[in-house]
Amino acid sequence: MNPSYALQAEDVAIHYGGVKALDGVSLTLEPGQIRGLIGPNGAGKSTVIDAITGRRRLTRGTVHLKGQDVSALGATERRQRGLSRSFQRTSVFSQMPVRKQVELASHKMGVADSHADADAVLRELELLDLADITADELGYGEQRRLDLALALVGRPGVLLLDEPMAGLSVKESHDLARHLKALTSRWEVSVLLVEHDMDVVFGISDAVTVFELGRVIASGEPAAVRANPRVREAYLGSAA
Ligand SMILES: Nc1ncnc2c1ncn2[C@@H]1O[C@H](COP(=O)(O)OP(=O)(O)OP(=O)(O)O)[C@@H](O)[C@H]1O
Ligand SMILES: [Mg+2]
């Protein structure tokens, strides 16, 4: 496996009985790269995140982080090695102050100075001014940013995001996209971005992969993927 990749998933399959949720998927993330992952409902986008992070047992295939095989490791061990994720639904605690939540997550990760870690994350995401209020006092866009903050404690090298813009206004989406872009350059984080908002995906991704029925049907530079006839037929439809 190629150690120059931050992440390399090779021939990953997950079968639920007869259902092939993933059927031999390969994808890579270069350091600091954003790869958009799109595909119709049920294509396997959330499942590939579960597979890569160790939440689901692989039927077949391997996952490498910076050239190291992590396929046999559990989700917690992979997180310790810098593989982080957000969930399709928010994991914020509504009654707890923002800073406290981020510190707690950092502490749970075993970060020695969780106060400093939380501070750095909150500053990076422009949440410092809101650090002392509880999450339920945040706007929805800020709550999604807090989700991202929780995924960033311990400074992971790889971030897998499952529809982080879901439910956000256009302005909030672009705001979050701007933060993601800044993160990849300032913190050298690689991002796999599962997202339905095509403007966001094609706007900020360095590469785009398209799933259909548990397989990769296209992968490459955003412009080439957008122009791919199979993608237009299978997914983008006449809207493309
Ligand atoms: N625990 C499970 N048991 C059986 N089948 C499952 C399970 N989880 C997911 N599947 C199936 O695996 C396939 C992929 O689902 P997945 O949730 O990964 O799709 P997705 O691309 O994330 O869709 P969406 O855009 O709706 O979030 C679907 O056919 C789904 O029904
Ligand atoms: Mg999903």
Side-chain angles (χ1 to χ4, degrees), residues 97-141:
V98 168
R99 183 196 302 277
K100 179 101 189 148
Q101 296 198 42
V102 181
E103 263 184 39
L104 212 71
S106 177
H107 182 71
K108 247 178 80 180
M109 275 276 306
V111 175
D113 191 346
S114 53
H115 183 79
D117 185 35
D119 230 55
V121 169
L122 291 170
R123 182 172 300 112
E124 177 63 26
L125 293 179
E126 295 179 293
L127 284 170
L128 264 188
D129 289 347
L130 305 170
D132 298 320
I133 65 174
T134 58
D136 57 4
E137 294 174 274
L138 296 175
Y140 191 63

Side-chain angles (χ1 to χ4, degrees), residues 46 88 162-163:
S46 295
Q88 200 162 349
D162 201 349
E163 301 191 27

Side-chain angles (χ1 to χ4, degrees), residues 62-202:
T62 56
V63 177
H64 285 74
L65 270 183
K66 286 187 275 182
Q68 288 199 319
D69 191 346
V70 297
S71 315
L73 301 182
T76 309
E77 283 168 294
R78 293 187 204 191
R79 178 66 179 88
Q80 297 284 353
R81 290 183 186 216
L83 178 60
S84 188
R85 71 171 298 169
S86 72
F87 287 90
Q88 200 162 349
R89 292 196 50 184
T90 175
S91 48
V92 159
F93 293 108
S94 59
Q95 307 292 336
M96 201 185 282
V98 168
R99 183 196 302 277
K100 179 101 189 148
Q101 296 198 42
V102 181
E103 263 184 39
L104 212 71
S106 177
H107 182 71
K108 247 178 80 180
M109 275 276 306
V111 175
D113 191 346
S114 53
H115 183 79
D117 185 35
D119 230 55
V121 169
L122 291 170
R123 182 172 300 112
E124 177 63 26
L125 293 179
E126 295 179 293
L127 284 170
L128 264 188
D129 289 347
L130 305 170
D132 298 320
I133 65 174
T134 58
D136 57 4
E137 294 174 274
L138 296 175
Y140 191 63
E142 292 155 356
Q143 286 193 17
R144 300 306 309 214
R145 246 193 291 153
L146 175 54
D147 264 329
L148 192 56
L150 293 171
L152 281 172
V153 298
R155 293 238 182 180
V158 175
L159 199 54
L160 311 180
L161 303 176
D162 201 349
E163 301 191 27
M165 279 87 179
L168 298 186
S169 70
V170 173
K171 184 188 173 299
E172 288 169 333
S173 293
H174 284 112
D175 222 41
L176 193 59
R178 176 175 62 81
H179 280 107
L180 280 180
K181 201 75 187 167
L183 269 172
T184 58
S185 57
R186 279 210 287 270
W187 284 21
E188 262 230 350
V189 181
S190 308
V191 177
L192 182 69
L193 176 66
V194 172
E195 184 51 54
H196 279 295
D197 185 329
M198 291 302 118
D199 285 344
V200 168
V201 171
F202 284 99

Side-chain angles (χ1 to χ4, degrees), residues 2-101:
N2 187 340
S4 70
Y5 288 126
L7 173 78
Q8 186 169 20
E10 191 70 26
D11 192 30
V12 167
I14 291 201
H15 299 173
Y16 296 111
V19 179
K20 293 179 175 175
L22 290 177
D23 193 18
V25 159
S26 298
L27 59 84
T28 58
L29 289 179
E30 291 168 19
Q33 184 182 41
I34 299 182
R35 178 179 293 278
L37 175 57
I38 61 174
N41 293 122
K45 305 179 300 295
S46 295
T47 304
V48 84
I49 291 183
D50 288 345
I52 291 170
T53 55
R55 196 157 180 252
R56 287 263 181 271
R57 198 182 189 79
L58 302 186
T59 305
R60 187 176 81 234
T62 56
V63 177
H64 285 74
L65 270 183
K66 286 187 275 182
Q68 288 199 319
D69 191 346
V70 297
S71 315
L73 301 182
T76 309
E77 283 168 294
R78 293 187 204 191
R79 178 66 179 88
Q80 297 284 353
R81 290 183 186 216
L83 178 60
S84 188
R85 71 171 298 169
S86 72
F87 287 90
Q88 200 162 349
R89 292 196 50 184
T90 175
S91 48
V92 159
F93 293 108
S94 59
Q95 307 292 336
M96 201 185 282
V98 168
R99 183 196 302 277
K100 179 101 189 148
Q101 296 198 42

Side-chain angles (χ1 to χ4, degrees), residues 28 30 33-38 181 198 200-210 216-229 231-232 236:
T28 58
E30 291 168 19
Q33 184 182 41
I34 299 182
R35 178 179 293 278
L37 175 57
I38 61 174
K181 201 75 187 167
M198 291 302 118
V200 168
V201 171
F202 284 99
I204 70 166
S205 299
D206 305 299
V208 174
T209 295
V210 186
V216 175
I217 61 162
S219 187
E221 289 186 6
V225 169
R226 202 199 268 271
N228 182 313
V231 174
R232 296 173 80 100
L236 297 170

